[in-house]
C-alpha cells in the first residue's frame, strides 16, 4: 500500500481568495481522503465494489449536502465550500465523488428546494449523516440527453399514485434507501416523486461490466405498478426545469471535482518525472516532459479560476445554467487530457494500479458523459451566445 504523498498545486496563489472556513473545510476533506480513501480505493476499483464503510465519514466531512441549512442536518456552508469538498473527494476517486454529488445535489437539493417542510424534516437529516443513501432517477434507456421525452409515468388512483417505468445509469441505485424519481403525470407534466426501498414493485438491479467508475455502484430503477403515497410528491416545482435545476447543482460540483482528478494526475506525473532516470538524467529535465507539465499546471490554474468565480456567482445567486455548463465541459475535458498526458509520462507504469492515473482516466470517460455530455454542453453555450437552439 503506497502512501498518499499528494501535494495540491496552487500556482496563482488562489488560497488568498479563500476564507479561513473554506481552507478548514478543504483541508479536513483532504486529510480524510488521504486516510480513508487513498489506501483502499485501488483494491475496490479492481474488484468493482463501492466501499460502503466510508459513507459515515463522507457525512462527517460535509460530503452530503454541505450547503443544506443546519436545521435540516446540513452544515450550512457556502457554494465554494461545497466545490472544495467535491474537489478533494474526486482527487481520491470520481466514483466516490459521484456518491457524494448524487446525495447532495440530486437527492437532498430537490427535497430542500421543491419539497415541503414535512419531507425536509423526514429525509434530510438522515441523508446528511449517510444513515440513508439516495439516488436520482431521470435518465431512461431511450432518453438521456433528451430527458423531456421520458416515458416513466404515474397515475392518480385516488389515495395514492401508481408509478410505472424504468431508469438506468443510476449512481447509488443498488443500495439506495430512497430515490427521487422524475415521471410524467396523466397530462404529461413532469413531477418529482420520492420512492422508498421496500415499496412493492420497486427494484434496483445493479449494472455490471463497467470499465469506468468501478468503485461506484450503478444500477437501474424499475417501477412495476409501484404504489407511491401522495405525500411523497414534491409539491413546490414541476416541469423539466425542476430536475434541470438539480443538474445545475450537480454540474457545478463536477466542475470542481474534475480539478481534483486533474491535480492528482499532475502531482503524480510531476513526482515521477523527478524520480524516473533515463539517459542518465530525470525525465523531468527533458523539454518534452516539461512541456507536458507546464501545460497541465496552466490548464489546472485556468480551471481553478473559472470555478472560483463561478462559486462567487453561485453564492450571489447570479450564476446561470449556461455558465455552469461551460465550467463542467471545460474542466472535465481538461482533466481527461491531463490524465492521458500523465499516463504517457509514466509509460508502462501508468496503466498499473500502482498509480492512480489509469483509474482516473477511465473514470473521467464517464464524467465527461454524465450530467450532460461534452457535446450537449457545447450546444448549451452555443445557444446562450447566439440565441438560437441547435438541439432540434
Amino acid at each position: 500500500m503506497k502512501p498518499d504523498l499528494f501535494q495540491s498545486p496552487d500556482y496563482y496563489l488562489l488560497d488568498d481568495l479563500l476564507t479561513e472556513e473554506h481552507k478548514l473545510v478543504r483541508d479536513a476533506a483532504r486529510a480524510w481522503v488521504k486516510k480513508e480513501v487513498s489506501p483502499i480505493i485501488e483494491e475496490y476499483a479492481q474488484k468493482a465494489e463501492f466501499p460502503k464503510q466510508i459513507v459515515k465519514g463522507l457525512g462527517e466531512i460535509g460530503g452530503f449536502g454541505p450547503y443544506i441549512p443546519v436545521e435540516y442536518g446540513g452544515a450550512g456552508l457556502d457554494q465554494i465550500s461545497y466545490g472544495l469538498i467535491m474537489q478533494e473527494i474526486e482527487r481520491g476517486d470520481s466514483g466516490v465523488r459521484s456518491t457524494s454529488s448524487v446525495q447532495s445535489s440530486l437527492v437532498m437539493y430537490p427535497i430542500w428546494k421543491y419539497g415541503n417542510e414535512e419531507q425536509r424534516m423526514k429525509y434530510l437529516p438522515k441523508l446528511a449523516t449517510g444513515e440513508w443513501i439516495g439516488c436520482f432517477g431521470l435518465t431512461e434507456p431511450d432518453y438521456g440527453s433528451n430527458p423531456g421525452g421520458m416515458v416513466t409515468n404515474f397515475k392518480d388512483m385516488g389515495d395514492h399514485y401508481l408509478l410505472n417505468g424504468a431508469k438506468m445509469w443510476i449512481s447509488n441505485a443498488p443500495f439506495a434507501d430512497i430515490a427521487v424519481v422524475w415521471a410524467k403525470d396523466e397530462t404529461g407534466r413532469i413531477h418529482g416523486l420520492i420512492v422508498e426501498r421496500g415499496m412493492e414493485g420497486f427494484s434496483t438491479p445493479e449494472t455490471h461490466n463497467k470499465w469506468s467508475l468501478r468503485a461506484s455502484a450503478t444500477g437501474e430503477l424499475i417501477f412495476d405498478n409501484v404504489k407511491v403515497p401522495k405525500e411523497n410528491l414534491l409539491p413546490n416545482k414541476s416541469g423539466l426545469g425542476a430536475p434541470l435545476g438539480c443538474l445545475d447543482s450537480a454540474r457545478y460540483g463536477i466542475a470542481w471535482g474534475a480539478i481534483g482528478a486533474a491535480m492528482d494526475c499532475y502531482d503524480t506525473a510531476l513526482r515521477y518525472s523527478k524520480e524516473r532516470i533515463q539517459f542518465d538524467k530525470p525525465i523531468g529535465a527533458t523539454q518534452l516532459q516539461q512541456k507536458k507539465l507546464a501545460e497541465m499546471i496552466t490548464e489546472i490554474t485556468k480551471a481553478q479560476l473559472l470555478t472560483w468565480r463561478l462559486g462567487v456567482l453561485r453564492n450571489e445567486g447570479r450564476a446561470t445554467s449556461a455558465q455552469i455548463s461551460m465550467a463542467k465541459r471545460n474542466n472535465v475535458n481538461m482533466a481527461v487530457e491531463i490524465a492521458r498526458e500523465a499516463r504517457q509520462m509514466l509509460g508502462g507504469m501508468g496503466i498499473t494500479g500502482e498509480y492512480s492515473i489509469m483509474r482516473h482516466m477511465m473514470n473521467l470517460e464517464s464524467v465527461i458523459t454524465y450530467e450532460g455530455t461534452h457535446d450537449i454542453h457545447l450546444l448549451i453555450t452555443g445557444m446562450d451566445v447566439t440565441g438560437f437552439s441547435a438541439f432540434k
Side-chain angles (χ1 to χ4, degrees):
M1 188 181 298
K2 294 189 69 172
D4 184 343
L5 302 174
F6 174 73
Q7 292 185 313
S8 178
D10 184 13
Y11 202 73
Y12 262 40
L13 308 182
L14 272 101
D15 267 20
D16 291 353
L17 299 174
L18 304 178
T19 66
E20 288 306 310
E21 181 178 69
H22 291 150
K23 287 182 273 194
L24 283 170
V25 166
R26 180 199 61 198
D27 292 349
R30 181 173 297 163
W32 179 82
V33 167
K34 285 196 174 198
K35 182 182 178 187
E36 303 294 341
V37 177
S38 300
I40 65 168
I41 198 63
E42 298 296 344
E43 175 191 352
Y44 277 85
Q46 288 284 358
K47 63 185 183 181
E49 182 182 331
F50 175 73
K52 291 182 183 178
Q53 70 270 27
I54 69 172
V55 167
K56 185 173 182 288
L58 278 170
E60 290 171 349
I61 64 163
F64 298 141
Y67 50 78
I68 298 293
V70 174
E71 59 263 36
Y72 302 122
L77 298 172
D78 73 350
Q79 289 292 304
I80 291 175
S81 294
Y82 170 53
L84 288 166
I85 293 169
M86 295 302 104
Q87 172 187 284
E88 295 306 313
I89 294 174
E90 189 146 1
R91 205 279 298 177
D93 187 74
S94 301
V96 177
R97 198 267 311 138
S98 292
T99 292
S100 184
S101 278
V102 167
Q103 184 93 329
S104 298
S105 292
L106 302 183
V107 180
M108 297 177 73
Y109 180 88
I111 294 172
W112 173 45
K113 284 291 190 181
Y114 312 148
N116 56 37
E117 195 64 14
E118 291 74 21
Q119 291 166 339
R120 295 183 192 117
M121 294 307 297
K122 177 179 178 181
Y123 296 107
L124 292 178
K126 287 181 171 151
L127 290 165
T129 62
E131 180 182 346
W132 285 356
I133 293 291
C135 64
F136 176 86
L138 181 63
T139 299
E140 296 186 359
D142 295 320
Y143 294 96
S145 296
N146 176 27
M150 70 175 65
V151 296
T152 299
N153 66 90
F154 65 98
K155 295 179 181 177
D156 190 333
M157 305 303 288
D159 62 344
H160 64 274
Y161 298 120
L162 199 64
L163 178 65
N164 282 282
K167 306 290 183 177
M168 73 181 305
W169 304 121
I170 310 301
S171 294
N172 301 351
F175 55 80
D177 299 285
I178 68 168
V180 174
V181 178
W182 301 94
K184 289 180 176 176
D185 65 14
E186 289 156 287
T187 70
R189 184 77 176 172
I190 294 171
H191 295 266
L193 297 161
I194 301 171
V195 181
E196 301 178 21
R197 185 170 295 282
M199 290 182 175
E200 190 175 351
F202 175 41
S203 59
T204 59
E206 187 165 1
T207 303
H208 296 288
N209 297 323
K210 297 183 300 176
W211 287 107
S212 181
L213 297 181
R214 288 174 60 81
S216 174
T218 309
E220 302 172 56
L221 305 177
I222 308 295
F223 313 107
D224 182 9
N225 287 323
V226 179
K227 292 181 180 179
V228 180
K230 286 201 163 180
E231 59 265 27
N232 284 31
L233 180 84
L234 296 176
N236 292 330
K237 191 171 179 65
S238 63
L240 190 58
L244 293 184
C246 305
L247 291 175
D248 274 351
S249 182
R251 290 163 176 169
Y252 168 76
I254 290 169
W256 281 91
I259 296 174
M263 290 195 305
D264 196 58
C265 292
Y266 165 77
D267 182 65
T268 302
L270 177 62
R271 188 175 297 106
Y272 189 85
S273 77
K274 296 175 179 179
E275 298 169 352
R276 176 66 168 168
I277 307 297
Q278 290 291 283
F279 303 105
D280 302 319
K281 64 179 179 180
I283 63 171
T286 65
Q287 289 185 356
L288 274 177
Q289 304 310 313
Q290 287 189 10
K291 174 181 184 292
K292 293 179 196 292
L293 291 165
E295 288 175 341
M296 288 181 197
I297 191 59
T298 301
E299 293 306 313
I300 288 170
T301 301
K302 286 155 66 175
Q304 288 174 320
L305 288 163
L306 191 66
T307 46
W308 175 80
R309 178 57 183 162
L310 186 60
V312 171
L313 293 174
R314 288 275 289 175
N315 281 338
E316 295 173 352
R318 296 198 292 147
T320 67
S321 296
Q323 288 169 336
I324 294 167
S325 279
M326 176 185 282
K328 191 270 184 183
R329 181 179 186 272
N330 179 81
N331 291 9
V332 180
N333 186 65
M334 171 274 299
V336 167
E337 294 299 328
I338 285 177
R340 290 171 180 164
E341 287 289 341
R343 208 290 306 156
Q344 286 201 62
M345 287 185 65
L346 267 68
M349 291 305 295
I351 70 165
T352 71
E354 183 88 3
Y355 297 92
S356 61
I357 293 173
M358 192 70 175
R359 175 172 49 80
H360 282 307
M361 199 165 103
M362 293 191 298
N363 285 342
L364 289 164
E365 290 297 331
S366 289
V367 181
I368 205 168
T369 295
Y370 70 21
E371 312 288 1
T373 70
H374 189 65
D375 294 339
I376 287 294
H377 285 300
L378 187 75
L379 294 181
I380 290 171
T381 304
M383 180 171 66
D384 195 49
V385 298
T386 66
F388 302 121
S389 173
F391 286 96
K392 297 180 181 178

